[in-house]
Amino acid sequence: MTTIGVITRGKYGNRLIETILSKTDLEVVQTAVPELLPDFIDEPEEFLEGLNIDTSIFDSNIVITYSLHPDLTVAIAHMAGKAGVKALIIPGGASKAPVVELQEIAKKYGMVIEVEDICCTLEGKPETEEFCKYLSIPELEVDIDKGIISSVKVLCGAPCGSTWHMAKDLVGTKVEDAPAKAGLLIQQYPCRAVRGGPGGIHESGDIHKKAVEDAIKRKKEN
């Protein structure tokens, strides 16, 4: 069975763990870094070693880190690469992760590193397939009865769990209203994506709207 390593920081990462355990048959190994960290960490690998985190997390093929700190994320990437981790997924976007340096680390260790603003844009690769077949870009299957959405099955959902929240509340909606309502439901979910500008929570809403549109189209074509 595939094990996913998750590094949490405060509240960040906990909902991913809950989603993995409740919606997939994957196992989770987790460890945490402190919620409060210095703005600048001079020797990040030494700092990380001093935290006494559970390094068995790097026995996982896929590690997801919510360290959300450029210096610490680089140290984690080095540790993951040295341990033979196949893929490192970094939520939080480029503002929390030095992309160019991480690309160099990925090349050095032959490791896939994905930096994502929102994890419902994550696209599966051979190294991340075991995770992404459950949790990545949402894919749905719907049933329609007399112009009403009668059921919604989540084939693949957002790692934060928002897709399942949307699916539950979409039942009973008129087909023509369903895509727009899907986008609204995602924005009402307590998602931690950036709000108040382009991208972030709005992009997540648009992705789920399209997933509903695609599911309705497939159902009508069958």
PDB file of all heavy atoms in Angstrom, residues 124-146:
ATOM      1  N   GLY A 124      -1.408  14.631 -12.492  1.00  0.00           N
ATOM      2  CA  GLY A 124      -0.689  13.405 -12.190  1.00  0.00           C
ATOM      3  C   GLY A 124       0.488  13.152 -13.116  1.00  0.00           C
ATOM      4  O   GLY A 124       0.432  13.441 -14.320  1.00  0.00           O
ATOM      5  N   LYS A 125       1.572  12.661 -12.547  1.00  0.00           N
ATOM      6  CA  LYS A 125       2.739  12.193 -13.288  1.00  0.00           C
ATOM      7  C   LYS A 125       3.020  10.774 -12.807  1.00  0.00           C
ATOM      8  O   LYS A 125       2.479  10.350 -11.790  1.00  0.00           O
ATOM      9  CB  LYS A 125       3.937  13.106 -13.021  1.00  0.00           C
ATOM     10  CG  LYS A 125       3.736  14.531 -13.537  1.00  0.00           C
ATOM     11  CD  LYS A 125       4.980  15.373 -13.307  1.00  0.00           C
ATOM     12  CE  LYS A 125       4.777  16.770 -13.909  1.00  0.00           C
ATOM     13  NZ  LYS A 125       5.963  17.621 -13.686  1.00  0.00           N
ATOM     14  N   PRO A 126       3.846  10.031 -13.519  1.00  0.00           N
ATOM     15  CA  PRO A 126       4.118   8.656 -13.053  1.00  0.00           C
ATOM     16  C   PRO A 126       4.549   8.587 -11.589  1.00  0.00           C
ATOM     17  O   PRO A 126       4.152   7.674 -10.861  1.00  0.00           O
ATOM     18  CB  PRO A 126       5.252   8.208 -13.993  1.00  0.00           C
ATOM     19  CG  PRO A 126       5.010   8.972 -15.250  1.00  0.00           C
ATOM     20  CD  PRO A 126       4.495  10.323 -14.810  1.00  0.00           C
ATOM     21  N   GLU A 127       5.307   9.584 -11.132  1.00  0.00           N
ATOM     22  CA  GLU A 127       5.803   9.563  -9.749  1.00  0.00           C
ATOM     23  C   GLU A 127       4.719   9.916  -8.724  1.00  0.00           C
ATOM     24  O   GLU A 127       4.865   9.623  -7.542  1.00  0.00           O
ATOM     25  CB  GLU A 127       6.970  10.546  -9.592  1.00  0.00           C
ATOM     26  CG  GLU A 127       8.199  10.194 -10.408  1.00  0.00           C
ATOM     27  CD  GLU A 127       8.123  10.679 -11.859  1.00  0.00           C
ATOM     28  OE1 GLU A 127       7.081  11.208 -12.273  1.00  0.00           O
ATOM     29  OE2 GLU A 127       9.128  10.500 -12.572  1.00  0.00           O
ATOM     30  N   THR A 128       3.662  10.595  -9.172  1.00  0.00           N
ATOM     31  CA  THR A 128       2.610  11.037  -8.243  1.00  0.00           C
ATOM     32  C   THR A 128       1.269  10.366  -8.520  1.00  0.00           C
ATOM     33  O   THR A 128       0.263  10.709  -7.907  1.00  0.00           O
ATOM     34  CB  THR A 128       2.420  12.560  -8.321  1.00  0.00           C
ATOM     35  OG1 THR A 128       2.075  12.940  -9.665  1.00  0.00           O
ATOM     36  CG2 THR A 128       3.678  13.294  -7.896  1.00  0.00           C
ATOM     37  N   GLU A 129       1.260   9.411  -9.430  1.00  0.00           N
ATOM     38  CA  GLU A 129      -0.002   8.805  -9.879  1.00  0.00           C
ATOM     39  C   GLU A 129      -0.804   8.198  -8.731  1.00  0.00           C
ATOM     40  O   GLU A 129      -2.038   8.324  -8.689  1.00  0.00           O
ATOM     41  CB  GLU A 129       0.289   7.747 -10.943  1.00  0.00           C
ATOM     42  CG  GLU A 129      -0.969   7.090 -11.496  1.00  0.00           C
ATOM     43  CD  GLU A 129      -0.648   6.015 -12.528  1.00  0.00           C
ATOM     44  OE1 GLU A 129       0.544   5.734 -12.747  1.00  0.00           O
ATOM     45  OE2 GLU A 129      -1.593   5.451 -13.085  1.00  0.00           O
ATOM     46  N   GLU A 130      -0.132   7.543  -7.805  1.00  0.00           N
ATOM     47  CA  GLU A 130      -0.850   6.870  -6.719  1.00  0.00           C
ATOM     48  C   GLU A 130      -1.609   7.855  -5.842  1.00  0.00           C
ATOM     49  O   GLU A 130      -2.614   7.502  -5.233  1.00  0.00           O
ATOM     50  CB  GLU A 130       0.130   6.052  -5.863  1.00  0.00           C
ATOM     51  CG  GLU A 130       0.634   4.796  -6.543  1.00  0.00           C
ATOM     52  CD  GLU A 130      -0.502   3.870  -6.967  1.00  0.00           C
ATOM     53  OE1 GLU A 130      -1.356   3.555  -6.115  1.00  0.00           O
ATOM     54  OE2 GLU A 130      -0.545   3.485  -8.142  1.00  0.00           O
ATOM     55  N   PHE A 131      -1.139   9.079  -5.775  1.00  0.00           N
ATOM     56  CA  PHE A 131      -1.838  10.124  -5.026  1.00  0.00           C
ATOM     57  C   PHE A 131      -2.868  10.824  -5.901  1.00  0.00           C
ATOM     58  O   PHE A 131      -4.028  11.003  -5.521  1.00  0.00           O
ATOM     59  CB  PHE A 131      -0.824  11.147  -4.496  1.00  0.00           C
ATOM     60  CG  PHE A 131      -1.439  12.307  -3.760  1.00  0.00           C
ATOM     61  CD1 PHE A 131      -1.858  12.168  -2.445  1.00  0.00           C
ATOM     62  CD2 PHE A 131      -1.586  13.546  -4.376  1.00  0.00           C
ATOM     63  CE1 PHE A 131      -2.417  13.243  -1.751  1.00  0.00           C
ATOM     64  CE2 PHE A 131      -2.139  14.623  -3.702  1.00  0.00           C
ATOM     65  CZ  PHE A 131      -2.562  14.463  -2.382  1.00  0.00           C
ATOM     66  N   CYS A 132      -2.453  11.194  -7.111  1.00  0.00           N
ATOM     67  CA  CYS A 132      -3.290  12.030  -7.973  1.00  0.00           C
ATOM     68  C   CYS A 132      -4.499  11.300  -8.534  1.00  0.00           C
ATOM     69  O   CYS A 132      -5.458  11.948  -8.966  1.00  0.00           O
ATOM     70  CB  CYS A 132      -2.457  12.604  -9.108  1.00  0.00           C
ATOM     71  SG  CYS A 132      -1.294  13.882  -8.567  1.00  0.00           S
ATOM     72  N   LYS A 133      -4.492   9.981  -8.538  1.00  0.00           N
ATOM     73  CA  LYS A 133      -5.682   9.281  -9.035  1.00  0.00           C
ATOM     74  C   LYS A 133      -6.853   9.443  -8.076  1.00  0.00           C
ATOM     75  O   LYS A 133      -8.006   9.256  -8.451  1.00  0.00           O
ATOM     76  CB  LYS A 133      -5.381   7.804  -9.278  1.00  0.00           C
ATOM     77  CG  LYS A 133      -5.150   6.963  -8.041  1.00  0.00           C
ATOM     78  CD  LYS A 133      -4.841   5.530  -8.435  1.00  0.00           C
ATOM     79  CE  LYS A 133      -4.602   4.642  -7.222  1.00  0.00           C
ATOM     80  NZ  LYS A 133      -4.260   3.259  -7.621  1.00  0.00           N
ATOM     81  N   TYR A 134      -6.564   9.816  -6.834  1.00  0.00           N
ATOM     82  CA  TYR A 134      -7.605  10.090  -5.843  1.00  0.00           C
ATOM     83  C   TYR A 134      -7.812  11.588  -5.626  1.00  0.00           C
ATOM     84  O   TYR A 134      -8.932  12.068  -5.495  1.00  0.00           O
ATOM     85  CB  TYR A 134      -7.228   9.487  -4.487  1.00  0.00           C
ATOM     86  CG  TYR A 134      -7.096   7.998  -4.432  1.00  0.00           C
ATOM     87  CD1 TYR A 134      -5.843   7.402  -4.332  1.00  0.00           C
ATOM     88  CD2 TYR A 134      -8.221   7.177  -4.466  1.00  0.00           C
ATOM     89  CE1 TYR A 134      -5.714   6.026  -4.253  1.00  0.00           C
ATOM     90  CE2 TYR A 134      -8.099   5.799  -4.385  1.00  0.00           C
ATOM     91  CZ  TYR A 134      -6.833   5.228  -4.280  1.00  0.00           C
ATOM     92  OH  TYR A 134      -6.715   3.867  -4.200  1.00  0.00           O
ATOM     93  N   LEU A 135      -6.696  12.321  -5.544  1.00  0.00           N
ATOM     94  CA  LEU A 135      -6.728  13.709  -5.096  1.00  0.00           C
ATOM     95  C   LEU A 135      -5.913  14.588  -6.048  1.00  0.00           C
ATOM     96  O   LEU A 135      -4.683  14.575  -6.019  1.00  0.00           O
ATOM     97  CB  LEU A 135      -6.172  13.818  -3.672  1.00  0.00           C
ATOM     98  CG  LEU A 135      -6.871  12.957  -2.610  1.00  0.00           C
ATOM     99  CD1 LEU A 135      -6.110  12.998  -1.293  1.00  0.00           C
ATOM    100  CD2 LEU A 135      -8.294  13.421  -2.405  1.00  0.00           C
ATOM    101  N   SER A 136      -6.609  15.339  -6.871  1.00  0.00           N
ATOM    102  CA  SER A 136      -5.960  16.275  -7.806  1.00  0.00           C
ATOM    103  C   SER A 136      -7.069  17.052  -8.506  1.00  0.00           C
ATOM    104  O   SER A 136      -8.011  17.499  -7.853  1.00  0.00           O
ATOM    105  CB  SER A 136      -5.066  15.512  -8.799  1.00  0.00           C
ATOM    106  OG  SER A 136      -5.785  14.515  -9.493  1.00  0.00           O
ATOM    107  N   ILE A 137      -6.976  17.210  -9.820  1.00  0.00           N
ATOM    108  CA  ILE A 137      -8.015  17.914 -10.571  1.00  0.00           C
ATOM    109  C   ILE A 137      -9.325  17.139 -10.441  1.00  0.00           C
ATOM    110  O   ILE A 137      -9.361  15.935 -10.709  1.00  0.00           O
ATOM    111  CB  ILE A 137      -7.618  18.056 -12.051  1.00  0.00           C
ATOM    112  CG1 ILE A 137      -6.332  18.883 -12.184  1.00  0.00           C
ATOM    113  CG2 ILE A 137      -8.748  18.697 -12.852  1.00  0.00           C
ATOM    114  CD1 ILE A 137      -5.766  18.924 -13.576  1.00  0.00           C
ATOM    115  N   PRO A 138     -10.408  17.776 -10.010  1.00  0.00           N
ATOM    116  CA  PRO A 138     -11.641  17.045  -9.740  1.00  0.00           C
ATOM    117  C   PRO A 138     -12.275  16.431 -10.981  1.00  0.00           C
ATOM    118  O   PRO A 138     -12.261  17.021 -12.063  1.00  0.00           O
ATOM    119  CB  PRO A 138     -12.556  18.109  -9.118  1.00  0.00           C
ATOM    120  CG  PRO A 138     -11.997  19.413  -9.562  1.00  0.00           C
ATOM    121  CD  PRO A 138     -10.526  19.207  -9.680  1.00  0.00           C
ATOM    122  N   GLU A 139     -12.808  15.235 -10.780  1.00  0.00           N
ATOM    123  CA  GLU A 139     -13.573  14.547 -11.828  1.00  0.00           C
ATOM    124  C   GLU A 139     -14.813  13.948 -11.190  1.00  0.00           C
ATOM    125  O   GLU A 139     -14.721  13.317 -10.121  1.00  0.00           O
ATOM    126  CB  GLU A 139     -12.729  13.461 -12.491  1.00  0.00           C
ATOM    127  CG  GLU A 139     -13.452  12.771 -13.635  1.00  0.00           C
ATOM    128  CD  GLU A 139     -12.601  11.708 -14.320  1.00  0.00           C
ATOM    129  OE1 GLU A 139     -11.409  11.590 -13.978  1.00  0.00           O
ATOM    130  OE2 GLU A 139     -13.141  11.002 -15.187  1.00  0.00           O
ATOM    131  N   LEU A 140     -15.950  14.150 -11.827  1.00  0.00           N
ATOM    132  CA  LEU A 140     -17.232  13.768 -11.241  1.00  0.00           C
ATOM    133  C   LEU A 140     -18.035  12.887 -12.185  1.00  0.00           C
ATOM    134  O   LEU A 140     -17.809  12.868 -13.391  1.00  0.00           O
ATOM    135  CB  LEU A 140     -18.057  15.019 -10.916  1.00  0.00           C
ATOM    136  CG  LEU A 140     -17.372  16.107 -10.092  1.00  0.00           C
ATOM    137  CD1 LEU A 140     -18.217  17.373 -10.123  1.00  0.00           C
ATOM    138  CD2 LEU A 140     -17.145  15.648  -8.664  1.00  0.00           C
ATOM    139  N   GLU A 141     -18.983  12.186 -11.589  1.00  0.00           N
ATOM    140  CA  GLU A 141     -19.985  11.426 -12.335  1.00  0.00           C
ATOM    141  C   GLU A 141     -21.348  11.800 -11.763  1.00  0.00           C
ATOM    142  O   GLU A 141     -21.526  11.753 -10.543  1.00  0.00           O
ATOM    143  CB  GLU A 141     -19.716   9.940 -12.182  1.00  0.00           C
ATOM    144  CG  GLU A 141     -20.589   9.029 -13.016  1.00  0.00           C
ATOM    145  CD  GLU A 141     -20.199   7.572 -12.810  1.00  0.00           C
ATOM    146  OE1 GLU A 141     -19.195   7.142 -13.427  1.00  0.00           O
ATOM    147  OE2 GLU A 141     -20.868   6.890 -12.007  1.00  0.00           O
ATOM    148  N   VAL A 142     -22.279  12.195 -12.617  1.00  0.00           N
ATOM    149  CA  VAL A 142     -23.582  12.627 -12.123  1.00  0.00           C
ATOM    150  C   VAL A 142     -24.702  11.770 -12.705  1.00  0.00           C
ATOM    151  O   VAL A 142     -24.572  11.193 -13.790  1.00  0.00           O
ATOM    152  CB  VAL A 142     -23.869  14.110 -12.457  1.00  0.00           C
ATOM    153  CG1 VAL A 142     -22.819  15.021 -11.840  1.00  0.00           C
ATOM    154  CG2 VAL A 142     -23.947  14.323 -13.971  1.00  0.00           C
ATOM    155  N   ASP A 143     -25.804  11.687 -11.962  1.00  0.00           N
ATOM    156  CA  ASP A 143     -27.058  11.134 -12.463  1.00  0.00           C
ATOM    157  C   ASP A 143     -28.064  12.270 -12.531  1.00  0.00           C
ATOM    158  O   ASP A 143     -28.057  13.177 -11.682  1.00  0.00           O
ATOM    159  CB  ASP A 143     -27.573  10.025 -11.546  1.00  0.00           C
ATOM    160  CG  ASP A 143     -26.771   8.740 -11.697  1.00  0.00           C
ATOM    161  OD1 ASP A 143     -26.362   8.431 -12.834  1.00  0.00           O
ATOM    162  OD2 ASP A 143     -26.550   8.054 -10.675  1.00  0.00           O
ATOM    163  N   ILE A 144     -28.924  12.215 -13.554  1.00  0.00           N
ATOM    164  CA  ILE A 144     -29.915  13.268 -13.779  1.00  0.00           C
ATOM    165  C   ILE A 144     -31.301  12.636 -13.871  1.00  0.00           C
ATOM    166  O   ILE A 144     -31.493  11.641 -14.577  1.00  0.00           O
ATOM    167  CB  ILE A 144     -29.610  14.043 -15.074  1.00  0.00           C
ATOM    168  CG1 ILE A 144     -28.206  14.689 -14.992  1.00  0.00           C
ATOM    169  CG2 ILE A 144     -30.671  15.113 -15.328  1.00  0.00           C
ATOM    170  CD1 ILE A 144     -27.730  15.281 -16.314  1.00  0.00           C
ATOM    171  N   ASP A 145     -32.231  13.179 -13.139  1.00  0.00           N
ATOM    172  CA  ASP A 145     -33.613  12.701 -13.152  1.00  0.00           C
ATOM    173  C   ASP A 145     -34.551  13.881 -13.379  1.00  0.00           C
ATOM    174  O   ASP A 145     -34.655  14.770 -12.539  1.00  0.00           O
ATOM    175  CB  ASP A 145     -33.941  12.000 -11.831  1.00  0.00           C
ATOM    176  CG  ASP A 145     -35.342  11.415 -11.806  1.00  0.00           C
ATOM    177  OD1 ASP A 145     -35.910  11.160 -12.891  1.00  0.00           O
ATOM    178  OD2 ASP A 145     -35.892  11.220 -10.702  1.00  0.00           O
ATOM    179  N   LYS A 146     -35.180  13.893 -14.549  1.00  0.00           N
ATOM    180  CA  LYS A 146     -36.132  14.951 -14.894  1.00  0.00           C
ATOM    181  C   LYS A 146     -35.531  16.357 -14.760  1.00  0.00           C
ATOM    182  O   LYS A 146     -36.132  17.269 -14.198  1.00  0.00           O
ATOM    183  CB  LYS A 146     -37.388  14.830 -14.026  1.00  0.00           C
ATOM    184  CG  LYS A 146     -38.146  13.520 -14.235  1.00  0.00           C
ATOM    185  CD  LYS A 146     -39.343  13.411 -13.310  1.00  0.00           C
ATOM    186  CE  LYS A 146     -40.063  12.080 -13.519  1.00  0.00           C
ATOM    187  NZ  LYS A 146     -41.212  11.908 -12.598  1.00  0.00           N
TER     188      LYS A 146
END
